[in-house]
C-alpha cells in the first residue's frame, strides 16, 4: 500500500476528504521525545478511558455494501457505502474520499485513484483501509471536538466469520480509536433490531440478507439455536445482473448500473406488473455505448441462481430446526432484514418456497445497527454473556 | 385490556379489528379463505380481527401481517399501521419492557458480586486462630514451665512437688485415691547422678531402683543429658498423648517433668540420656531400638486398684 506522506497534503490543493494517514516527517529529538511520551501516556495511563467519558457508545454495522453507525442516545447517525477512494501519487498514497463521495467514483476513476471496497463477503479484505474508513466515520459522527473520540464500539460479524476474520474486525475497530470493541453475531443483532422479543422461549427465524452474505438464524431465549451463513448477497445479485446482460445482450454494464437496475426493477417473484428500465452500456461487439431496455422478468431470470442459494439456505435451516421451534416459526413466520429484504417480492418467493408466512421487518436496512445499539444498552444494564457478545 | 375495553375497541368504527373485518367481508371472504390467501394461520387472522393482542406476536410480525392484508385487500397500509400503533401503544410499551430482560433472572454485575462467603471464611479462620492462641499458652504452659524449670538446680528433698504448680490437669497426687500407696509420691527423677531420696517401688519391671544417695530426689520424671557430645533428642508425652516435653537435652542438663501417667518417651540417643522416675533409674536397654534409639511406650503407669 505504499507510504503515506504528509507532504502529500501540502502538495495537493485542499481537497475535501483528503486525510493524510501516516507522515514521515523528521522530528527533532526533543519533539520526538515529547511525542513518544504523549503516546506512552496515552497507552499506559489509559487516557482512552478518560476520553471515553466524552464519547458516546457506537454500534457499527460494518457491512460489505454499507456501513451504518448507531449512536447511543441518538439514532442512526451515519449510513454510507463502505467505499474508500485512494489516491496514489508517485508511490505515496492518500485517501481521497470516503463513503458516498467515494462511491460516486466507483468505476469512474483515473489511473491514480482507485475506489476500493475494503470489505468482501462480510469480512475485511483490506485491513488498513478498513481501519482508516472506520476512523473517519467515527470522527465524523462525533463531530469536531477537542478530544479524540474513543467510544466503546459494538460491531457485527457474520456467523460464518472465522476467528481470524473476527480478530481482524476487532483489531481494525480498536485501531480506529475505539476504547473497547465488542463483537456480536449479525443475525442476533438483526433480530433485536427488528423488534423480535428474542428472550422469549419461542423460536424466531431471521434471514438477514446483506451486501456480501446472507445469514439465517433461529433464535430462542437470547441464543442462537441454528445459524448459517451463505456468501450470497446484494453483490452477487449485481454480478448476476451484469453477467446476464452480457450474455443475453452482449452489453457490458458496471456495478453501479447493475445496482441501480436491481433497486429499480429487481424482483424475486413474477409480479403482476411488468416494469422496465432503460440502461446504457457498452456494446461488446460494436465497442460503443448503446442504450437498451430491460424488464423485471429478465432481472428475475438473472437473479435465479443467487436467489436459489438463499432459498436453499432457508430450507436447510428449517430442516435443522428442532420441531418445537419449527412450529413457532410456522405459526408466526420468518422475518427478513438487511438490504436484500428490499428486493421486490423476496418475501413472496420465500413464502411460496417454504409455505410459511414471511415478514419484512420495518426499516430492514438499519436493523442490525439498531439491534447492536440495543445490545450496547443491555451490556450496561447488566453484565451478561447473552447474545454471545465477545 | 379488559373485555369491556376490548368490545368497545372492536365496536369502534375506526378500530383495527373492525377495519380488517369490514374489508374482508366486503371482499366476500371467510376468515379461513383469507388465511389461506395470506398464508397465515386461521388463529392469527381471527386474533387480528378480535384485536387479541395476547395471541398475536410482537409488533414486527403484526406490521408484516398488516402489510400483507393491505396488499391483498387493497387497504391503506399506513392507516392500518397507525391504527395498530394506537391500539397497541399500551402493549407495545409492555413489549419494550419485556425486551429488556428480566433483572432477577440475570447474572449479577461482576462488581457487585463481592465474595462475601470468602470474607466470612477468612474471618472465621482468623477467629479460630485467635481462639486457639487464647488457649494454646495454657496447654503449652506444661512445656514452658517444664523448660523453665531449671534443670541444673537440684531439686530439694524437702519440697516434694516444687516444680509442678501449673499443671491443672494433674490433681495433687495425694488426692488420687486410685494411686497405690507406693506411688503416693509421684514424679520421676531422671538421671544417674541424681539419685532419689525417696526410694519408691518402680511401677514397671524395667525400672530398677537405685540406691539412695546424697543427692536429693524429686517425685516425677527427670531427664538428664549424659555423655559429652551432642546430647539427645527426647520427647515425652503424658497419658493424654500430649507432648509435655520435646527437645534436645545437652549433656549436663536435666529436665524435671510431671504429668498424667503413664508417660510415653521417645529417645533419639539412648546412650546419652538418663531417665529417672520418682527417683528410680530406668533401664533403657529393654526399650532400645536400632541405632541407639529407644522408645518407652508406658512408663510409670499406675496399676489400677
Amino acid at each position: 500500500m505504499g507510504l503515506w506522506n504528509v507532504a502529500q497534503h501540502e502538495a495537493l490543493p485542499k481537497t475535501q476528504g483528503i486525510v493524510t494517514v501516516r507522515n514521515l516527517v523528521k522530528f527533532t529529538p526533543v519533539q520526538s521525545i515529547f511525542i513518544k511520551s504523549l503516546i506512552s501516556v496515552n497507552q499506559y495511563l489509559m487516557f482512552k478511558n478518560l476520553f471515553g467519558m466524552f464519547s458516546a457508545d457506537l454500534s457499527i454495522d460494518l457491512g460489505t455494501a454499507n456501513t451504518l453507525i448507531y449512536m447511543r442516545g441518538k439514532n442512526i447517525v451515519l449510513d454510507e457505502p463502505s467505499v474508500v477512494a485512494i489516491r496514489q501519487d508517485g508511490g505515496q498514497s492518500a485517501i481521497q474520499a470516503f463513503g458516498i463521495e467515494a462511491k460516486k467514483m466507483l468505476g469512474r476513476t483515473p489511473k491514480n485513484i482507485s475506489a476500493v471496497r475494503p470489505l468482501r463477503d462480510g469480512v475485511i479484505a483490506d485491513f488498513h483501509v478498513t481501519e482508516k474508513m472506520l476512523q473517519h466515520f467515527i470522527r465524523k459522527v462525533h463531530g469536531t471536538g477537542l478530544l479524540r473520540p474513543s467510544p466503546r464500539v459494538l460491531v457485527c460479524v457474520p456467523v460464518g466469520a472465522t476467528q481470524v476474520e473476527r480478530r481482524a474486525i476487532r483489531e481494525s475497530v480498536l485501531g480506529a480509536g475505539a476504547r473497547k470493541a465488542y463483537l456480536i453475531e449479525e443475525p442476533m443483532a438483526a433480530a433485536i433490531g427488528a423488534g423480535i422479543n428474542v428472550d422469549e422461549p419461542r423460536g424466531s427465524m431471521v434471514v438477514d440478507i446483506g451486501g456480501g452474505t446472507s445469514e439465517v438464524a433461529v433464535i430462542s431465549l437470547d441464543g442462537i439455536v441454528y445459524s448459517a451463513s451463505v456468501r450470497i448477497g446484494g453483490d452477487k445479485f449485481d454480478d448476476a445482473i451484469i453477467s446476464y446482460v452480457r450474455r443475453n445482450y452482449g452489453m457490458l454494464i458496471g456495478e453501479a448500473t447493475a445496482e441501480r437496475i436491481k433497486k429499480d426493477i429487481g424482483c424475486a417473484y413474477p409480479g403482476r406488473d411488468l416494469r422496465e428500465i432503460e440502461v446504457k452500456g457498452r456494446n461488446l461487439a460494436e465497442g460503443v455505448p448503446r442504450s437498451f431496455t430491460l424488464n423485471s422478468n429478465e432481472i428475475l431470470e438473472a437473479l435465479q441462481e443467487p436467489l436459489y442459494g438463499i432459498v436453499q439456505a432457508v430450507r436447510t435451516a428449517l430442516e435443522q430446526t428442532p420441531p418445537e421451534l419449527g412450529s413457532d416459526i410456522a405459526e408466526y413466520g420468518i422475518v427478513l432484514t438487511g438490504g436484500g429484504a428490499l428486493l421486490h417480492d423476496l418475501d413472496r418467493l420465500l413464502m411460496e418456497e417454504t409455505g410459511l408466512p414471511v415478514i419484512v421487518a420495518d426499516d430492514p436496512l438499519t436493523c442490525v445497527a439498531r439491534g447492536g445499539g440495543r445490545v450496547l444498552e443491555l451490556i450496561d444494564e447488566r453484565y451478561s454473556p447473552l447474545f454471545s457478545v465477545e | 385490556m379488559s373485555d369491556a375495553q376490548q368490545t368497545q375497541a372492536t365496536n369502534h368504527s375506526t378500530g383495527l379489528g373492525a377495519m380488517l373485518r369490514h374489508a374482508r367481508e366486503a371482499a366476500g371472504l371467510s376468515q379461513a379463505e383469507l388465511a389461506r390467501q395470506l398464508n397465515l394461520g386461521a388463529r392469527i387472522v381471527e386474533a387480528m380481527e378480535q384485536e387479541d393482542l395476547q395471541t398475536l406476536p410482537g409488533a414486527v410480525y403484526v406490521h408484516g401481517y398488516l402489510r400483507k392484508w393491505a396488499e391483498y385487500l387493497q387497504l391503506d397500509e399506513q392507516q392500518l399501521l397507525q391504527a395498530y400503533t394506537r391500539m397497541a401503544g399500551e402493549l407495545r410499551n409492555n413489549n419494550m419492557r419485556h425486551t429488556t430482560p428480566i433483572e432477577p433472572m440475570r447474572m449479577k454485575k461482576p462488581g457487585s458480586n463481592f465474595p462475601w462467603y470468602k470474607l466470612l471464611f477468612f474471618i472465621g479462620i482468623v477467629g479460630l486462630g485467635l481462639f486457639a492462641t487464647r488457649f494454646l499458652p495454657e496447654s503449652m504452659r506444661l512445656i514452658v514451665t517444664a523448660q523453665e524449670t531449671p534443670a541444673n538446680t537440684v531439686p530439694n528433698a524437702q519440697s516434694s512437688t516444687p516444680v509442678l504448680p501449673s499443671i491443672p490437669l494433674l490433681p495433687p497426687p495425694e488426692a488420687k485415691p486410685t494411686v497405690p500407696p507406693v506411688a503416693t509420691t509421684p514424679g520421676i527423677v531422671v538421671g544417674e547422678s541424681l539419685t532419689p531420696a525417696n526410694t519408691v517401688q518402680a511401677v514397671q519391671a524395667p525400672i530398677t531402683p537405685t540406691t539412695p544417695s546424697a543427692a536429693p530426689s524429686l517425685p516425677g520424671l527427670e531427664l538428664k543429658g549424659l555423655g559429652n557430645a551432642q546430647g539427645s533428642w527426647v520427647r515425652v508425652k503424658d497419658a493424654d498423648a500430649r507432648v509435655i516435653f520435646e527437645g534436645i537435652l545437652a549433656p549436663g542438663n536435666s529436665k524435671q517433668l510431671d504429668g498424667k501417667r503413664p508417660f510415653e518417651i521417645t529417645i533419639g540417643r539412648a546412650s546419652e540420656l538418663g531417665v529417672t522416675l520418682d527417683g528410680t533409674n530406668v533401664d533403657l536397654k529393654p526399650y532400645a531400638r536400632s541405632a541407639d534409639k529407644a522408645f518407652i511406650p508406658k512408663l510409670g503407669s499406675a496399676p489400677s486398684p
Side-chain angles (χ1 to χ4, degrees):
Chain A
M1 144 143 329
L3 297 168
W4 310 90
N5 198 329
V6 77
Q8 183 72 46
H9 192 219
E10 293 158 5
L12 289 165
K14 283 208 166 185
T15 319
Q16 271 198 332
I18 287 203
V19 175
T20 47
V21 180
R22 187 183 302 162
N23 54 51
L24 298 173
V25 173
K26 298 282 179 207
F27 291 108
T28 64
V30 177
Q31 276 176 323
S32 66
I33 288 169
F34 179 65
I35 288 165
K36 276 178 188 168
S37 66
L38 268 187
I39 290 168
S40 59
V41 159
N42 196 345
Q43 282 174 348
Y44 295 115
L45 295 185
M46 301 218 272
F47 261 33
K48 274 188 169 184
N49 280 344
L50 197 64
F51 291 158
M53 292 163 69
F54 306 102
S55 314
D57 297 344
L58 303 177
S59 149
I60 301 182
D61 174 11
L62 190 60
T64 314
N66 290 291
T67 297
L68 283 91
I69 300 186
Y70 174 98
M71 190 186 272
R72 200 173 154 183
K74 297 184 182 176
N75 207 329
I76 302 288
V77 286
L78 182 128
D79 178 4
E80 291 203 31
S82 310
V83 186
V84 181
I86 299 165
R87 190 186 194 109
Q88 297 254 355
D89 277 322
Q92 296 159 348
S93 17
I95 287 178
Q96 175 89 16
F98 291 101
I100 298 167
E101 295 285 314
K103 193 178 182 183
K104 285 179 190 160
M105 302 177 191
L106 264 182
R108 295 193 171 92
T109 50
K111 218 184 271 176
N112 63 335
I113 297 177
S114 54
V116 296
R117 300 173 62 181
L119 291 121
R120 281 278 161 206
D121 297 334
V123 292
I124 291 176
D126 190 327
F127 186 83
H128 286 288
V129 176
T130 309
E131 195 176 305
K132 289 297 145 199
M133 188 180 76
L134 277 174
Q135 197 171 28
H136 172 80
F137 286 154
I138 290 173
R139 280 189 187 160
K140 191 172 174 181
V141 299
H142 267 99
T144 49
L146 279 173
L147 300 172
R148 209 167 60 113
S150 62
R152 292 190 310 170
V153 173
L154 184 134
V155 206
C156 309
V157 289
V159 282
T162 61
Q163 287 292 319
V164 177
E165 290 162 344
R166 278 161 205 250
R167 188 169 180 146
I169 289 175
R170 181 196 292 276
E171 295 289 324
S172 72
V173 171
L174 290 174
R179 178 164 96 252
K180 200 158 184 183
Y182 300 101
L183 301 185
I184 186 178
E185 298 197 319
E186 234 165 71
M188 195 41 142
I192 295 166
I196 297 171
N197 296 335
V198 290
D199 58 345
E200 285 179 359
R202 190 169 69 195
S204 322
M205 182 179 274
V206 186
V207 181
D208 178 53
I209 301 166
T213 58
S214 293
E215 323 262 323
V216 187
V218 179
I219 290 164
S220 174
L221 285 172
D222 285 341
I224 293 179
V225 179
Y226 171 87
S227 68
S229 177
V230 284
R231 301 212 158 176
I232 299 171
D235 291 350
K236 281 274 161 39
F237 293 161
D238 295 346
D239 291 347
I241 291 172
I242 291 172
S243 59
Y244 177 87
V245 169
R246 184 181 187 154
R247 201 168 54 238
N248 292 32
Y249 285 83
M251 304 284 278
L252 210 56
I253 54 171
E255 273 181 42
T257 310
E259 197 181 341
R260 190 164 59 87
I261 296 168
K262 178 185 72 181
K263 282 182 177 168
D264 284 1
I265 63 165
C267 64
Y269 198 76
R272 285 186 285 268
D273 50 341
L274 193 70
R275 285 164 301 159
E276 291 189 339
I277 191 172
E278 194 177 307
V279 189
K280 293 175 184 70
R282 176 160 62 92
N283 191 306
L284 279 170
E286 298 172 25
V288 283
R290 286 266 180 262
S291 173
F292 61 103
T293 310
L294 283 169
N295 66 38
S296 53
N297 274 351
E298 286 170 311
I299 302 306
L300 174 66
E301 196 186 327
L303 295 179
Q304 278 310 302
E305 197 192 326
L307 287 175
Y308 179 75
I310 291 174
V311 168
Q312 208 48 41
V314 174
R315 276 192 177 155
T316 313
L318 288 168
E319 275 170 25
Q320 303 284 329
T321 307
E324 282 301 327
L325 299 177
S327 79
D328 292 338
I329 295 164
E331 174 142 23
Y332 297 118
I334 300 168
V335 178
L336 287 185
T337 66
L342 294 173
L343 183 68
H344 198 71
D345 276 345
L346 182 61
D347 53 336
R348 185 90 185 274
L349 172 75
L350 285 172
M351 195 168 83
E352 297 292 338
E353 291 288 335
T354 60
L356 305 178
V358 179
I359 287 139
V360 179
D362 305 324
D363 203 0
L365 270 172
T366 61
C367 274
V368 172
R370 281 185 289 129
R374 180 81 191 109
V375 172
L376 265 180
E377 285 164 17
L378 289 179
I379 287 174
D380 268 7
E381 279 172 26
R382 66 211 156 95
Y383 171 79
S384 74
L386 88 164
F387 311 138
S388 61
V389 174
E390 288 164 37
Chain B
M1 188 182 278
S2 70
D3 285 348
Q5 279 175 314
Q6 198 172 345
T7 331
Q8 199 184 2
T10 319
N11 291 342
H12 199 262
S13 58
T14 57
L16 178 67
M19 274 158 67
L20 295 178
R21 199 173 59 240
H22 287 321
R24 176 177 59 80
E25 283 164 358
L29 291 165
S30 72
Q31 278 187 354
E33 279 171 331
L34 183 68
R36 203 164 43 248
Q37 291 297 331
L38 295 178
N39 202 9
L40 291 171
R43 208 160 74 93
I44 295 222
V45 172
E46 197 186 330
M48 291 285 279
E49 292 190 358
Q50 297 286 325
E51 298 182 0
D52 180 5
L53 296 173
Q54 301 301 320
T55 308
L56 292 173
V60 54
Y61 290 99
V62 178
H63 285 188
Y65 302 156
L66 288 174
R67 280 198 205 100
K68 284 174 195 286
W69 236 285
E71 194 189 353
Y72 185 70
L73 294 175
Q74 315 276 309
L75 301 173
D76 184 1
E77 184 183 310
Q78 287 308 313
Q79 200 187 345
L80 289 181
L81 290 177
Q82 279 167 14
Y84 172 72
T85 311
R86 258 203 316 277
M87 182 184 77
E90 187 187 325
L91 188 89
R92 211 186 202 186
N93 290 340
N94 289 347
N95 276 351
M96 287 304 282
R97 203 166 58 231
H98 194 70
T99 315
T100 316
I102 312 122
E103 291 295 331
M105 293 289 291
R106 303 296 168 187
M107 207 182 252
K108 279 183 190 169
K109 279 188 179 178
S112 67
N113 196 7
F114 189 81
W116 289 108
Y117 62 96
K118 281 185 187 169
L119 188 73
L120 277 175
F121 184 73
F122 181 72
I123 289 172
I125 290 287
V126 169
L128 258 176
L130 280 172
F131 184 78
T133 46
R134 282 283 165 119
F135 283 83
L136 254 177
E138 277 198 68
S139 56
M140 287 174 79
R141 209 169 297 158
L142 278 172
I143 297 170
V144 170
T145 47
Q147 282 168 346
E148 276 172 357
T149 310
N152 292 338
T153 55
V154 181
N156 290 325
Q158 288 80 11
S159 58
S160 57
T161 55
V163 289
L164 307 166
S166 61
I167 305 170
L169 296 172
L170 189 76
E174 291 77 16
K176 259 189 185 175
T178 53
V179 178
V182 282
T184 40
T185 50
I188 317 165
V189 176
V190 190
E192 274 175 4
S193 58
L194 292 175
T195 46
N198 312 355
T199 50
V200 181
Q201 200 81 38
V203 181
Q204 283 198 333
I207 302 171
T208 53
T210 51
T211 50
S213 73
S217 80
L218 280 174
L221 183 74
E222 192 180 0
L223 304 174
K224 171 108 178 125
L226 303 175
N228 47 14
Q230 304 97 323
S232 172
W233 177 89
V234 63
R235 180 173 65 201
V236 183
K237 287 183 184 175
D238 67 5
D240 297 328
R242 197 160 39 169
V243 177
I244 54 176
F245 175 73
E246 180 172 5
I248 293 170
L249 219 56
N253 290 354
S254 70
K255 202 100 285 193
Q256 200 80 37
L257 301 166
D258 209 338
K260 199 172 176 184
R261 302 182 185 198
F263 301 103
E264 181 198 63
I265 306 171
T266 314
I267 302 162
R269 210 184 293 269
S271 61
E272 299 195 358
L273 192 82
V275 181
T276 316
L277 180 69
D278 296 338
T280 317
N281 231 346
V282 180
D283 186 11
L284 295 176
K285 277 195 186 106
Y287 302 107
R289 298 232 177 139
S290 62
D292 204 13
K293 292 184 176 66
F295 178 68
I296 309 173
K298 281 181 179 179
L299 183 64
S301 56
S304 52

